Amino acid sequence: MQECYASLAPMRLARALAQQTGDGLSMPALGAAALRNPEPNFFVLGSKSYGRRPHFFMRSGFEQVREAFTLITGKADLDLYKKAR
């Protein structure tokens, strides 16, 4: 896996995080493309995905899980938290 030498986060996500300013509460979702790695269907999610950056919040982790499942399934309208009937 390619890691940023400075933050130890995956390269694409590290680039996206470096462009963000402010604290973690004001950070928007970075999108599914930032989660992709050269290894197919391999995703680094959660606090490890932020490397050494201290601005990880569980909300970001939940968004990452949603985005990863969207990439895996190919369904843009995927809602993991929708109640089954």
Side-chain angles (χ1 to χ4, degrees):
M1 182 186 84
Q2 288 181 308
E3 285 184 334
C4 172
Y5 68 91
S7 68
L8 299 179
M11 285 301 291
R12 286 187 186 182
L13 190 58
R15 273 188 242 125
L17 288 170
Q19 295 173 359
Q20 301 298 320
T21 58
D23 62 3
L25 292 174
S26 62
M27 192 175 300
L30 299 173
L35 298 177
R36 288 196 180 273
N37 285 300
E39 181 71 28
N41 295 323
F42 179 77
F43 303 98
V44 178
L45 307 175
S47 62
K48 171 65 178 155
S49 68
Y50 273 49
R52 295 179 179 165
R53 293 181 62 101
H55 297 103
F56 176 78
F57 290 95
M58 290 300 294
R59 181 191 75 195
S60 302
F62 294 141
E63 290 171 359
Q64 288 178 343
V65 169
R66 250 183 261 123
E67 291 167 350
F69 271 91
T70 299
L71 288 172
I72 292 168
T73 63
K75 297 178 182 178
D77 62 343
L78 182 67
D79 185 2
L80 297 176
Y81 305 106
K82 182 179 178 182
K83 297 215 181 222
R85 292 180 192 203

